[in-house]
């Protein structure tokens, strides 16, 4: 079966076409600047990437262009869209009701529309992508895979914020958690690699990218996670502050006259690694600057690593034990300096890494960085959210 996976952003549409029999990516690409010009990059294995500038008025136009590229004589990988068995959509937020990956029906779309107020950035483009697909391929099974659904079993004392309870009841303000598809994928991969049933493992997964989150996975289920009501909570990120004293927000508004939108902009787009260093949101640049002696870049690295360390400690306590730690995503997979800083002086918890292996790791494959005899296994596992979405889509489409 061939599965098309779509990930719609506000002005972008990422796609990957999988052959599920061989677990191969047949083609993948990105439509950018939707609604404001437009460009497509289309890639196939062993072929030069194809790029074009073309008017992409909306997600529907972008999707049509993707489908025609997938089927084209010159750049295509299938003869017609009839070869696509199902479409999987990445949807960041499934609210409280959509607790698992779901076949898309009218009522699913309606529910997603009702939760746009708590998901204002990612909700509308995801819905636009789904609607475009329903219009262009109305008979095809479409599946929504939610970043939040991995957290649907988290217990209330971990998702309720200690604020007046009616804000939860009336306004649905609670921890939802994000990046669930990635945490689910890497924890399942690790169990496979270790050859142990996931039900017997206590794993902490660290998804460290531009946005970062850490999840405690006990017996295959997420029991706690660092992101909350929005992807703003948790550790310091590329441009997001992560958790701070909430009074900082009101203090800034009162003393500086900032509006709510302005403070949100500061905390979302001008904080984190960028805010601390004043240099860049990119961990590679920060690392380089820190190595060259830039004090604020050094501070940014310390704050990031310490945030990760604190969460690992907290989650080991919550799970009453720890078998494995996984690093994934851009920073987790590539930045050995961050992994080293996080894992040093953690032997009390059983985390001991081999510093040589950690520095001389092989990119792009699961890689064991544990020290010989360490109680806790520490691994780098490349994430693959799209493949996880394709697996769920195939399962539901063939049910
Ligand atoms: P996003 O959350 O946007 O998906 P990524 O997972 O691509 O983010 O991670 C981006 C971060 O990973 C950046 O801080 C970047 O510096 C860091 N990084 C370090 N090395 C690499 C690399 N080789 N490729 C991609 N990102 C890297």
């Amino acid at each position: 079966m061939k599965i098309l996976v779509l990930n719609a952003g506000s002005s972008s549409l990422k796609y990957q076409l999988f052959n599920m029999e061989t677990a191969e990516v047949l083609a993948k690409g990105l439509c950018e600047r939707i609604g404001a010009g437009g460009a497509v990059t289309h890639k196939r294995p062993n072929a030069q990437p194809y790029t074009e500038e073309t008017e992409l008025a909306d997600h529907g136009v972008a999707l049509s262009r993707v489908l025609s590229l997938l089927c084209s004589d010159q750049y295509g990988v299938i003869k017609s869209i009839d070869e696509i068995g199902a479409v999987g959509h990445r949807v960041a937020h499934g609210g409280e009701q959509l607790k698992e990956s779901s076949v898309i029906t009218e009522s699913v779309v309606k529910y997603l529309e009702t939760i746009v107020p708590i998901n204002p950035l990612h909700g509308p483009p995801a819905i636009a992508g789904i609607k475009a697909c329903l219009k262009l391929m109305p008979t095809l099974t479409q599946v929504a895979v939610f970043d939040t659904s991995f957290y649907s079993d988290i217990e209330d004392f971990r998702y309720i914020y200690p604020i007046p309870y009616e804000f939860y009841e009336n306004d649905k303000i609670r921890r939802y958690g994000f990046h669930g598809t990635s945490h689910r994928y890497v924890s399942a991969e690790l169990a496979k690699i270790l050859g142990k049933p996931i039900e017997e493992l206590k794993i902490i997964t660290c998804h460290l990218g531009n946005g970062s989150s850490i999840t405690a996975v006990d017996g295959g289920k997420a029991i706690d996670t660092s992101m909350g009501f929005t992807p703003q909570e948790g550790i310091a990120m590329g441009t997001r502050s992560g958790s701070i004293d909430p009074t900082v927000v009101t203090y800034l508004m009162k003393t500086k006259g900032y509006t709510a939108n302005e403070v949100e902009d500061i905390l979302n787009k001008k904080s984190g690694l960028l805010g601390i260093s004043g240099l860049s949101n990119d961990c590679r640049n920060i690392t380089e600057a820190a190595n060259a002696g830039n004090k604020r870049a050094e501070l940014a690295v310390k704050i990031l690593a310490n945030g990760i360390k604190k969460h690992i400690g907290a989650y080991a306590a919550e799970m009453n034990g720890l078998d494995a730690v996984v690093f994934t995503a851009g920073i987790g997979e590539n930045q050995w300096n961050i992994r080293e800083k996080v894992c040093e002086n953690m032997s009390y918890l059983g985390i001991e890494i081999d510093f040589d292996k950690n520095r001389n790791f092989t990119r792009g494959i699961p890689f064991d960085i544990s020290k010989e005899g360490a109680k806790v296994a520490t691994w780098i596992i490349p994430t693959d959210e799209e493949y996880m979405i394709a697996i769920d889509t195939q399962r539901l489409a063939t049910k």
Side-chain angles (χ1 to χ4, degrees), residues 207-211 273 281-284 329-331 334-335 363:
H207 177 113
L208 312 173
N210 269 318
L273 299 181
N281 65 314
D282 191 303
C283 198
R284 282 169 287 202
I331 296 172
N334 296 294
Q335 300 275 171
R363 273 174 219 268

Side-chain angles (χ1 to χ4, degrees), residues 27 48 55 112 149 185 212 363:
Q48 282 291 334
E55 184 68 28
L112 291 178
S149 57
Y185 175 80
S212 300
R363 273 174 219 268

Side-chain angles (χ1 to χ4, degrees), residues 96-314:
E96 281 207 304
Q97 279 182 26
L98 296 169
K99 290 176 183 281
E100 43 190 59
S101 302
S102 311
V103 171
I104 295 173
T105 58
E106 223 170 280
S107 71
V108 167
V109 177
K110 277 216 173 87
Y111 179 68
L112 291 178
E113 282 170 337
T114 65
I115 59 167
V116 164
I118 56 168
N119 183 30
L121 289 184
H122 300 107
I127 294 167
I130 289 170
K131 286 188 169 168
C133 241
L134 290 171
K135 205 164 161 195
L136 287 167
M137 297 177 281
T139 56
L140 214 55
T141 304
Q142 317 237 0
V143 170
V145 178
F146 307 102
D147 281 23
T148 48
S149 57
F150 192 42
Y151 308 110
S152 55
D153 287 330
I154 285 188
E155 290 187 79
D156 54 3
F157 68 91
R158 292 188 172 110
Y159 72 70
I160 295 288
Y161 290 118
I163 56 176
Y165 194 73
E166 56 265 28
F167 289 127
Y168 165 60
E169 284 188 307
N170 302 335
D171 305 286
K172 298 293 164 212
I173 294 174
R174 52 162 284 182
R175 176 182 313 285
Y176 288 101
F178 296 90
H179 291 144
T181 309
S182 174
H183 291 285
R184 180 158 61 103
Y185 175 80
V186 296
S187 53
E189 281 296 297
L190 179 78
K192 263 195 249 165
I193 291 165
L194 297 180
K196 290 194 179 150
I198 198 163
E199 292 74 20
E200 291 173 12
L201 292 172
K202 295 176 192 292
I203 307 171
I204 295 174
T205 47
C206 307
H207 177 113
L208 312 173
N210 269 318
S212 300
S213 62
I214 304 180
T215 294
V217 185
D218 194 348
K221 290 184 185 286
I223 64 136
D224 206 349
T225 191
S226 60
M227 281 181 170
F229 178 56
T230 71
Q232 171 71 21
E233 195 180 343
I235 62 169
M237 308 180 209
T239 61
R240 288 181 219 147
S241 63
S243 301
I244 57 165
D245 181 340
T247 309
V248 173
V249 174
T250 45
Y251 181 80
L252 283 175
M253 292 172 83
K254 286 191 219 164
T255 61
K256 303 250 180 204
Y258 288 130
T259 63
N261 282 344
E262 284 167 342
V263 180
E264 203 171 86
D265 195 60
I266 292 169
L267 297 180
N268 244 314
K269 300 192 180 140
K270 298 179 181 150
S271 298
L273 299 181
L274 173 66
I276 305 160
S277 69
L279 287 175
S280 169
N281 65 314
D282 191 303
C283 198
R284 282 169 287 202
N285 301 339
I286 298 295
T287 298
E288 214 173 282
N291 291 343
N294 183 303
K295 290 290 168 214
R296 273 170 56 189
E298 232 173 77
L299 180 63
V301 165
K302 282 187 188 162
I303 290 175
L304 170 64
N306 193 53
I308 303 165
K309 200 187 257 285
K310 276 209 286 202
H311 276 83
I312 292 175

Side-chain angles (χ1 to χ4, degrees), residues 1-4 84-89 102-105 133-134 137-144 392-399:
M1 184 183 235
K2 295 191 178 85
I3 305 267
L4 178 63
I84 301 174
V87 181
H89 295 265
S102 311
V103 171
I104 295 173
T105 58
C133 241
L134 290 171
M137 297 177 281
T139 56
L140 214 55
T141 304
Q142 317 237 0
V143 170
D392 278 15
T393 303
Q394 182 184 34
R395 178 171 50 80
L396 289 171
T398 51
K399 215 173 178 179

